[in-house]
Amino acid sequence: MRQERLSGILCHPTSLPGMNPIGTLGAQALAFVDFLAAARQGLWQILPLNPTGPDGSPYNARSALAGNPLLIDLERLLARGLLRDCDLPGNGDSGMAEVDFAEADAFAEPALRAAFARFREMAPSELTTRFLAFRRAQQDWLEDYALFAALRKAHAGVPWWGWDDELARRDPAAIDTWRRRLRDEIAYQAFLQFLVDDQWATVRRYANARGVRIIGDIPIYVALDSADVWANQTLFALTPEGQPSVVAGVPPDLFSATGQLWGNPCYRWDVMAEQGYRWWAARFRRALEQCDLVRLDHFRGFAAGWQVPAGEETAIGGRWAPGPGRAFFERLAAALGPLPIIVEDLGVITDDVHQLRQELGYPGMKVLQFAFDGTGDNPYLPHNYDPNCVVYTGTHDNDTTNSWYQSLDSMARAQVDRYLGPHDPDAAWALLRLAQASVARSAIAPLQDVLSLGAEARMNTPGTAECNWRWRYRPGYLTSGLAHRLSELSECYGRAPRR
């Protein structure tokens, strides 16, 4: 049976507009779905929904399974009777042009605690029943995460390896003592997870009902200061002091001459295999509860991962260490059924990585910004595509297409122009058309490219820790004219969802 050709937009919920210091899962999320439906886009790709650290990176989260409480929409809590007008913080008259993660936390915290207090005061209700059911259903990860979040709060944000040794090493007596001591805070943290899950489920149902499928994201690595590492220390290459012996990264590539030193702890794949990859199965199961399909980050790490000795200043001195390979995916498929995933196979890709993806049959990624190196056999040029792929104008790690085009030297720009032929002077829309016209099964563009924005709208610059993940679009950007223009393109190239 021939698979449907589709197109879509990459936009993380934090980038939605609104009066809060960060985009939330309220009315603006539903309005974005309405825009996608009007524009005949069948896919909405997001970044990981997990709770972030102070840098705001969804790839450096406090948990691989929990949701980000900053996404909770307070207006929806008001409508449900969990908040009163006086509980809502003042928020100016136009919202913030960029995401401010520290301000978002300060903005929402008092209101969320007021909502929890109100919830506990209420007589048993349908909401109470659903919260208790959620807590039971998700207890395998939720109780560890809620305890971890409560402990970080009690220790003023000190990382877990800085706690008392008995607690850092999860001595059962110490865990029981702190569970009793922090019972209310643990319940509060679990309640926040219930709210995120409930609001996101509403958004997803709304999208699916309008023919829009959600593409989620599973990062390969997790943060050292996370509930995942604290609760599963034997699964990671750690020293007796709780520090990584080796850290993850990638060798020098198109993004960085010294490679990327991510700093995440590396996995002990042998221990994970002995446990039947149970921890990974829980991650995939949770992701597929929330999304229709998922992008699996850094697929090449499952063939071999770049490991750098802890303490190195760059990633140059690392080495390739074998990953779990095909057996990993076969074990997960046996536990969960066929995995609806897109694999991120960018960067330094060797023959074994290509072979693994082809054997498994998963679609890979093609990025048009990588296509123009002067050679006709470049795998990112559309005439070289196998249909089993997803093509992007750029990703969250790329500059916007218009800024990228302007930064090209004259020879590279000439190659782009020669390949495109007579084309729209707006480079973003010229590449958007090229993506949609390709044989790739799916074509996706970051919203910044759909809006023809420049460097000011870049989401992330790999290898840097400052000023990333902050972009959000402004009210009024998603016009009916823009939706019509995009729908015409998708209909022209057979990508409009079937009615």
Side-chain angles (χ1 to χ4, degrees):
M1 178 176 169
R2 183 176 179 273
Q3 294 188 27
E4 187 177 7
R5 281 167 57 88
L6 293 171
S7 58
I9 294 178
L10 167 61
C11 178
H12 196 46
T14 59
S15 295
L16 298 169
M19 307 300 284
N20 294 4
I22 192 170
T24 67
L25 303 178
Q28 291 295 339
L30 304 185
F32 183 70
V33 171
D34 289 338
F35 173 80
L36 291 171
R40 307 299 305 281
Q41 302 303 293
L43 300 169
W44 176 11
Q45 183 166 338
I46 61 173
L47 305 182
L49 292 169
N50 311 120
T52 62
D55 64 355
S57 171
Y59 297 93
N60 192 36
R62 300 288 187 211
S63 168
L65 295 106
N68 190 345
L70 297 182
L71 294 173
I72 297 170
D73 185 69
L74 301 182
E75 294 288 342
R76 288 182 61 185
L77 302 187
L78 180 70
R80 300 187 73 161
L82 290 171
L83 290 177
R84 295 166 294 187
D85 287 329
C86 61
D87 295 319
L88 294 178
N91 49 20
D93 58 1
S94 62
M96 303 181 78
E98 286 190 335
V99 174
D100 185 322
F101 292 98
E103 180 65 23
D105 187 52
F107 179 89
E109 173 81 359
L112 292 174
R113 290 196 177 272
F116 181 58
R118 177 82 169 167
F119 171 74
R120 301 188 85 174
E121 292 168 359
M122 297 168 63
S125 64
E126 177 265 346
L127 191 64
T128 307
T129 301
R130 290 177 52 228
F131 169 59
L132 294 175
F134 170 78
R135 198 165 179 179
R136 286 193 301 271
Q138 305 297 335
Q139 62 182 331
D140 287 348
W141 66 266
L142 179 59
E143 296 309 312
D144 274 328
Y145 170 75
L147 175 59
F148 173 82
L151 285 166
R152 285 193 93 259
K153 187 81 173 177
H155 289 82
V158 172
W160 63 263
W161 57 88
W163 302 343
D164 290 342
D165 189 65
E166 293 81 3
L167 192 55
R169 299 286 166 260
R170 293 180 60 85
D171 175 75
I175 293 291
D176 287 344
T177 297
W178 280 92
R179 280 195 191 279
R180 290 192 298 271
R181 186 181 301 176
L182 299 176
R183 181 186 307 170
D184 288 347
E185 182 67 19
I186 291 169
Y188 169 68
Q189 296 295 337
F191 180 68
L192 295 185
Q193 290 306 306
F194 167 67
L195 294 180
V196 179
D197 187 81
D198 182 59
Q199 291 194 359
W200 176 249
T202 297
V203 173
R204 184 188 174 191
R205 285 194 300 269
Y206 190 86
N208 288 170
R210 285 152 183 79
V212 177
R213 304 175 199 173
I214 307 290
I215 304 176
D217 196 312
I218 299 180
I220 182 173
Y221 296 115
V222 297
L224 176 63
D225 188 16
S226 67
D228 311 286
V229 178
W230 176 64
N232 303 279
Q233 294 174 46
T234 60
L235 301 182
F236 298 87
L238 302 178
T239 68
E241 296 74 33
Q243 294 301 297
S245 55
V246 289
V247 297
V250 291
D253 60 11
L254 291 170
F255 288 120
S256 173
T258 58
Q260 297 177 46
L261 191 62
W262 296 333
N264 306 83
C266 295
Y267 297 117
R268 296 182 61 189
W269 289 116
D270 56 337
V271 177
M272 289 184 157
E274 290 171 2
Q275 297 182 6
Y277 301 110
R278 184 172 62 244
W279 181 78
W280 273 100
R283 289 188 71 183
F284 271 83
R285 185 179 296 109
R286 181 70 178 143
L288 293 172
E289 287 172 356
Q290 297 175 316
C291 301
D292 300 292
L293 57 163
V294 292
R295 167 192 176 271
L296 181 59
D297 177 53
H298 199 58
F299 176 72
R300 78 134 302 116
F302 294 93
W306 191 251
Q307 297 188 355
V308 183
E312 293 287 314
E313 294 185 359
T314 73
I316 293 176
R319 68 176 184 87
W320 291 112
R326 182 172 178 172
F328 171 86
F329 295 96
E330 291 177 339
R331 187 62 179 263
L332 291 187
L336 304 175
L339 302 176
I341 62 176
I342 299 162
V343 299
E344 185 268 290
D345 54 348
L346 308 174
V348 181
I349 304 301
T350 48
D351 289 343
D352 59 327
V353 183
H354 288 301
Q355 181 178 348
L356 178 61
R357 185 190 67 77
Q358 290 167 0
E359 288 175 353
L360 294 167
Y362 298 140
M365 291 175 57
K366 304 295 183 183
V367 179
L368 289 174
Q369 287 188 25
F370 297 160
F372 302 99
D373 63 356
T375 62
D377 60 355
N378 184 303
Y380 298 109
L381 286 170
H383 66 262
N384 293 318
Y385 291 176
D386 179 286
N388 189 32
C389 70
V390 182
V391 59
Y392 296 78
T393 55
T395 73
H396 63 273
D397 282 333
N398 293 102
D399 200 351
T400 65
T401 293
N402 277 341
S403 178
W404 162 81
Y405 181 76
Q406 292 301 322
S407 71
L408 295 176
D409 61 38
S410 58
M411 290 185 62
R413 194 180 298 180
Q415 189 202 1
V416 174
D417 294 343
R418 183 168 59 252
Y419 193 89
L420 293 173
H423 64 83
D424 192 322
D426 182 329
W429 272 79
L431 259 64
L432 204 159
R433 179 177 291 275
L434 182 63
Q436 293 236 20
S438 76
V439 297
R441 192 140 297 136
S442 300
I444 295 175
L447 182 59
Q448 294 94 316
D449 286 350
V450 176
L451 294 172
S452 302
L453 298 178
E456 75 286 350
R458 182 166 186 163
M459 192 65 166
N460 180 51
T461 302
T464 67
E466 303 295 329
C467 301
N468 293 320
W469 317 108
R470 296 184 179 182
W471 179 76
R472 63 194 306 200
Y473 67 90
R474 302 292 288 160
Y477 275 16
L478 304 185
T479 65
S480 59
L482 183 64
H484 178 69
R485 184 182 182 192
L486 199 53
S487 68
E488 284 193 324
L489 200 63
S490 293
E491 289 169 358
C492 176
Y493 294 112
R495 296 190 181 273
R498 300 188 184 103
R499 295 188 185 279

